[in-house]
Amino acid sequence: MKLNKLVGISLACAIALTGCSTTVERVDASTVADLSGAWNDTDSQLTAKTMVADALTRPWFSKHLKATGKSPTVIVGRINNLSHEHINTQTFISDIERELINSGEVEFVADSTARKEIREERGDQDLNATEATRNAMGQEIGADYMMQGNINTIIDVDGSDQVRFYQVDLELVSMKDNRKVWIGQQKIKKLVENSKMRK
């Protein structure tokens, strides 16, 4: 009797565990999968691509070429997440950096964190590398412009339905005199039906 009861409990547990099992399907990284309506990788990539393309066609770019005879040097600064949700701004910054570098239109310099590590390596080379292979201090290229900005949201809720509005504002600032030479804006609006997301 006890044995039959134990077998029955074990069988019931096995069935329950099978019913709750997780399935995983690999998909192409470029596949658009908007499950929750929240900011996702597609929003990040498309916004970066659109805004960088816009920035590089504006008058500041041709004015810089005319005045200096060389491509502008750009660095990406802080992108602030002022939205209602957690957004990994570092992946968005990486998308912007990739679009700027791959455009071939601008020179690009490393951010402050990367520069610190490189300077440490250069200092180590100064002590330990041969003179022929050593990279000297004081040869860095300074940025002409810094790109920075904010991500904001407005959430409109009616029952289980939501409209999620994202607004990304970026600006390009001259390092020489703090002039804003370009301001860009990208808006994304999503209707999320039967949403279980909180505001």
Side-chain angles (χ1 to χ4, degrees), residues 39 42-58 92 95-96 98-100 147 168 170 182-188:
W39 176 273
T42 301
D43 297 320
S44 179
Q45 292 165 18
L46 291 179
T47 300
K49 187 172 185 176
T50 301
M51 298 189 81
V52 168
D54 179 73
L56 296 178
T57 60
R58 297 300 180 175
F92 182 47
D95 287 335
I96 293 171
R98 186 186 65 252
E99 292 298 327
L100 284 167
M147 185 176 283
V168 181
L170 297 180
W182 170 81
I183 295 177
Q185 189 176 86
Q186 177 76 358
K187 297 178 180 180
I188 302 169

Side-chain angles (χ1 to χ4, degrees), residues 75-81 89-90 92-93 96 111-112 146-151 169-171:
I75 186 171
V76 178
R78 184 173 296 165
I79 307 293
N80 298 304
N81 176 23
T89 56
Q90 190 54 53
F92 182 47
I93 289 171
I96 293 171
D111 64 21
S112 57
M146 177 180 282
M147 185 176 283
Q148 51 193 186
N150 301 304
I151 302 173
D169 295 291
L170 297 180
E171 58 188 31

Side-chain angles (χ1 to χ4, degrees), residues 59-194:
W60 73 272
F61 185 78
S62 56
K63 285 180 180 178
H64 180 91
L65 285 176
K66 187 176 180 181
T68 65
K70 62 184 182 67
S71 297
T73 302
V74 179
I75 186 171
V76 178
R78 184 173 296 165
I79 307 293
N80 298 304
N81 176 23
L82 305 178
S83 73
H84 293 74
E85 64 189 65
H86 171 73
I87 293 176
N88 185 344
T89 56
Q90 190 54 53
T91 60
F92 182 47
I93 289 171
S94 296
D95 287 335
I96 293 171
E97 290 176 341
R98 186 186 65 252
E99 292 298 327
L100 284 167
I101 293 169
N102 291 345
S103 73
E105 300 290 337
V106 300
E107 299 293 326
F108 198 85
V109 293
D111 64 21
S112 57
T113 303
R115 287 199 306 270
K116 183 179 178 183
E117 186 176 0
I118 292 165
R119 286 169 184 161
E120 288 173 357
E121 171 59 22
R122 201 178 290 130
D124 185 72
Q125 284 187 10
D126 198 39
L127 293 173
N128 300 301
T130 63
E131 189 173 346
T133 62
R134 184 181 303 146
N135 290 286
M137 294 283 192
Q139 303 298 311
E140 296 179 20
I141 297 172
D144 298 308
Y145 304 94
M146 177 180 282
M147 185 176 283
Q148 51 193 186
N150 301 304
I151 302 173
N152 284 282
T153 53
I154 299 173
I155 310 295
D156 187 18
V157 181
D158 181 19
S160 62
D161 295 339
Q162 288 187 7
V163 173
R164 306 183 71 81
F165 175 78
Y166 297 86
Q167 181 170 305
V168 181
D169 295 291
L170 297 180
E171 58 188 31
L172 202 60
V173 181
S174 168
M175 298 289 289
K176 181 180 179 181
D177 51 20
N178 292 333
R179 285 181 303 114
K180 293 184 182 182
V181 299
W182 170 81
I183 295 177
Q185 189 176 86
Q186 177 76 358
K187 297 178 180 180
I188 302 169
K189 185 180 282 189
K190 301 181 182 184
L191 173 61
V192 186
E193 297 177 333
N194 298 318

